[in-house]
């Protein structure tokens, strides 16, 4: 169950600039000391058209068919994300859904036949419903209704039922249901009236692990006894400690969970259900991000967030013998999925110069097969840029880790413009891996610094907490120091540096334009917050379980009204005097369109050049290739005009 939620989360992150901007992928950890990017010899590089560059296909997700001969995944090759099946031996993918308007993500094959589950929303409104595609191709909405959000939550091990969360009863909270795999009749297993998050269910269906978010730095785990309808708190603590349930073991004897108690980073522990004994199970020098078992319980997969890179480890059996994973050039393994009997493993390989490609590995035959080729056939990977992990000291000495793309040909005699690229959040992270947007900027001669300003995740809980109630101030000042760092490299033109970001990164762009108007020459705001008061008051109702955490992180719209007014760019828009481009999805439920409408109107009133691009069929991101291409086209045209002066 945990595994399925991870797959869906990765799918969303890879195609939507949600609360985190497009991710990079795994790399060798860098030293903790500040560093400059390595100088690379200049080379002739081909400049690609926007059409050539964005002919790249975005794909995500993986689920084996009952006979293990096919793999279900999602692709935007048709112009809209749909569900596809591909033969595990290779071949051309076959479309299983044919939506022409609404984003559709394949979730899972049924364990014993060719039916599939998939999710779909309307125009990016994020109100996903769960559908089934029957063997004859007909479709059925398993979660009908208006203004509800539903998610697949895993299979019962014997395949006779699956689990679903939905907020149809109360928009604020998600209840937990079991659906019969044949009749789709459902049974309520947990009625959520306390703002809990369902995190896993034991294989014997006796226990449900629930998460309770207190603040962005503090959370708890509760165990719910399904038969007795009783709840037990299993992570009592003092101070701010984060604890998150991951998975029950195959024997339903213990719960694996992550906690940062007594540590800067999340470690993996176990809770014995019979005795309540807690033991440390696994730790790393970085955050352990997740762990889950294969369907048959043979393998356990762990993901580690190692300095902006994803490191996957797989162990086998009760002895947890390490499994040697295939070594692949040009990228790192992500999104591991096992077949029903664990004879085969599907996974993605993603690198700085290579987008997601789906592979399958046969353990018995020790054979590896690449199933997809996602990069545009017109693009030579050698013309793309390998990312580097760099660090610089900010105004107060705090070391700021970042991901850097240096365009080919940049040198002391050929200085290039640069962009400080701010991720979403608060609390997101820019990591290594393929980003079509960043690579397109680099291909057009722009250096890109993906800054992980204070408050970013992945670098310890002290660093993560360093931005609380300081937004628009200290995290912004990190971005100002990033400009100083770029100027020190010797091949960046200090007079041609922009700031860019989406969601929270869009807010940081607007904050820089309003509060430090002298710092950056231009700003690129992608669905950014301009008025914190309105955004915090208009968040979707299903965010209720972590509303308190959001208020603790950013500010309470009632108690902290004066502070939020002082740090909202809209109320200080008269200070904005540099060119700005704003991009917005009309159906965005997180940062509503009014946020962009108002800042655009205010900046235009200053007589400042401002461009406004609205996509009527998008939400909090660009899921449709044509919109993704148009957004990036507009951004580069804007930068060429106002940053390069072309």
């Amino acid at each position: 169950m945990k595994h399925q939620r991870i797959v869906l989360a990765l799918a969303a992150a890879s195609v939507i600039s949600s609360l985190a901007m497009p991710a990079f992928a795994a790399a060798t950890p860098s030293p903790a000391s500040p560093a400059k990017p390595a100088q690379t010899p200049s080379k002739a590089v081909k400049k690609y058209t926007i059409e050539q560059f964005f002919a790249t296909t975005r794909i995500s997700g993986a689920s084996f068919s009952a006979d293990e001969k096919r793999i279900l995944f999602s692709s935007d090759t048709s112009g809209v994300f749909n569900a596809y099946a591909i033969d595990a031996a290779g071949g051309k993918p076959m479309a299983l859904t044919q939506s022409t308007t609404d984003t559709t993500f394949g979730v899972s094959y049924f364990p014993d036949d060719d039916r599939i589950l998939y999710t779909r929303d309307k125009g990016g409104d994020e109100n996903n419903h769960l559908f089934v595609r029957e063997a004859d191709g007909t479709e059925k909405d398993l979660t009908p209704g208006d203004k509800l959000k539903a998610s697949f939550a895993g299979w019962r091990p014997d395949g006779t039922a699956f689990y679903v969360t939905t907020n149809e009863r109360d928009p604020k909270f998600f209840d937990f249901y079991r659906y019969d795999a044949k009749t789709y009749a459902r049974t309520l297993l947990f009625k959520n009236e306390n703002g809990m998050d369902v995190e896993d269910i034991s294989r014997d269906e006796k226990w449900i692990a629930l998460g309770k978010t207190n603040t962005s730095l503090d959370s708890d785990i509760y165990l719910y006894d399904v038969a007795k309808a009783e709840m037990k708190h299993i992570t009592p603590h003092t101070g701010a400690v984060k604890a998150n349930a991951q998975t029950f073991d195959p024997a339903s004897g213990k719960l694996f969970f992550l906690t940062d108690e007594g540590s800067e980073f999340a470690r993996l522990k176990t809770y014995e259900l019979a005795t309540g004994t807690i033991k440390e199970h696994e730790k790393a020098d970085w955050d352990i991000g997740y762990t889950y078992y294969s369907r048959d319980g043979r393998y356990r997969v762990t993901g580690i967030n190692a300095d902006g890179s994803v490191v996957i480890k797989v162990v086998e059996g009760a002895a947890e013998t390490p499994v040697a994973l295939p070594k692949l050039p040009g990228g790192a393994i992500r999104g591991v999925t096992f077949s029903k009997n664990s004879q085969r493993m599907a996974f993605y390989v993603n690198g700085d110069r290579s987008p997601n490609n789906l592979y399958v590995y046969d353990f018995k035959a020790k054979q590896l097969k690449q199933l997809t080729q996602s990069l545009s056939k017109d693009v030579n990977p050698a013309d793309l840029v390998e990312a580097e992990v760099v660090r610089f000291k900010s105004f107060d000495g705090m070391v700021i880790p970042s991901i850097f793309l240096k365009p080919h040909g940049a040198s002391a005699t050929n200085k290039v413009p640069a962009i400080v690229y701010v991720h979403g959040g608060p609390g997101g992270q820019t990591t290594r891996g393929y980003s079509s947007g960043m690579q397109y900027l680099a291909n057009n001669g722009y250096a890109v610094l993906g800054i992980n300003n204070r408050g970013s995740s992945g670098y310890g809980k002290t660093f993560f907490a360093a931005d609380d109630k300081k937004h628009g101030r200290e995290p912004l000042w990190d971005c100002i120091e990033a400009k100083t760092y770029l100027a020190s490299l010797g091949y960046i033109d200090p007079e041609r540096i922009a700031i860019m970001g989406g969601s929270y990164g869009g807010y940081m762009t607007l904050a820089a334009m309003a509060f430090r108007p002298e710092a950056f020459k231009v700003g690129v705001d992608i669905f950014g917050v301009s008025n914190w008061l309105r955004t915090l008051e208009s968040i979707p109702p299903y965010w209720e379980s972590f509303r308190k955490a959001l208020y603790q992180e950013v500010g309470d719209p009632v108690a902290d009204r004066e502070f939020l007014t002082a740090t909202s760019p809209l109320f200080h828009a008269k200070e904005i005097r540099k060119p700005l481009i704003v991009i917005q999805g009309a159906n965005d439920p997180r940062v509503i369109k009014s946020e962009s409408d108002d800042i655009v109107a205010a900046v235009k009133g200053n007589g400042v050049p401002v461009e406004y691009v609205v996509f009527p069929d998008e939400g909090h991101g660009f899921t449709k290739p044509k919109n993704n291409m148009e957004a990036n086209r507009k951004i580069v045209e804007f930068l060429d005009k106002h940053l390069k002066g072309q």
Side-chain angles (χ1 to χ4, degrees), residues 249-419:
D249 75 320
S252 298
K254 57 187 175 183
L255 173 69
F256 286 80
F257 68 99
L258 295 173
T259 178
D260 62 7
E261 186 170 19
S263 173
E264 277 291 310
F265 296 99
R267 297 171 294 166
L268 187 63
K269 293 188 176 183
T270 59
Y271 176 90
E272 297 286 344
L273 299 176
T275 65
T277 302
I278 293 177
K279 295 180 180 178
E280 185 166 297
H281 193 82
E282 187 176 351
K283 64 180 179 179
D285 294 331
W286 302 91
D287 280 325
I288 295 177
Y290 54 83
T291 196
Y292 57 88
Y293 279 94
S294 58
R295 181 175 292 177
D296 65 356
R298 180 175 178 179
Y299 296 106
R300 185 171 63 83
V301 181
T302 298
I304 300 170
N305 181 352
D307 200 16
S309 299
V310 178
V311 176
I312 298 291
K313 294 183 177 181
V314 179
V315 295
E316 181 180 6
E320 298 203 332
T321 305
V323 175
L325 299 177
K327 300 296 183 183
L328 296 159
I333 290 177
R334 292 180 170 185
V336 175
T337 303
F338 294 92
S339 61
K340 189 175 181 179
N341 62 10
S342 288
Q343 294 301 306
R344 290 179 171 179
M345 176 178 73
F347 58 91
Y348 284 94
V349 173
N350 184 291
D352 295 330
R353 294 179 292 141
S354 175
N356 271 355
N357 276 305
L358 182 61
Y359 286 74
V360 64
Y361 181 70
D362 187 308
F363 284 98
K364 185 176 181 180
K366 298 190 182 304
Q367 291 181 342
L368 179 69
K369 180 74 175 179
Q370 180 176 346
L371 301 180
T372 63
Q373 182 55 55
S374 299
L375 188 66
S376 168
K377 60 181 176 56
D378 293 330
V379 176
N380 182 352
D383 291 327
L384 303 182
V385 176
E386 196 74 10
E388 300 175 72
V389 178
V390 300
R391 286 171 163 79
F392 64 89
K393 287 186 177 180
S394 193
F395 64 95
D396 58 355
M398 182 173 284
V399 176
I400 306 299
S402 304
I403 306 295
F404 185 71
L405 277 70
K406 176 188 176 184
H408 295 298
S411 68
T413 57
N414 181 37
K415 293 188 177 183
V416 297
I419 298 162

Side-chain angles (χ1 to χ4, degrees), residues 19 126 149 171-174 192 194-197 199 211-219 242 244 425-426 535-536 539-555 589-590:
L19 290 186
E126 299 186 19
K149 184 178 179 68
K172 294 181 179 180
F173 304 126
F174 290 89
N192 188 359
N194 300 303
M196 300 286 191
D197 294 312
E199 296 185 327
K212 177 69 172 177
T213 301
N214 303 314
T215 71
S216 60
L217 302 171
D218 189 89
S219 58
K242 291 175 73 172
N244 305 104
T535 291
L536 292 169
I539 61 174
Y542 50 81
W543 285 21
E544 185 64 29
S545 65
F546 56 90
R547 179 188 295 272
K548 182 180 176 182
L550 186 61
Y551 286 3
Q552 181 268 342
E553 164 85 13
V554 178
R590 306 186 187 200

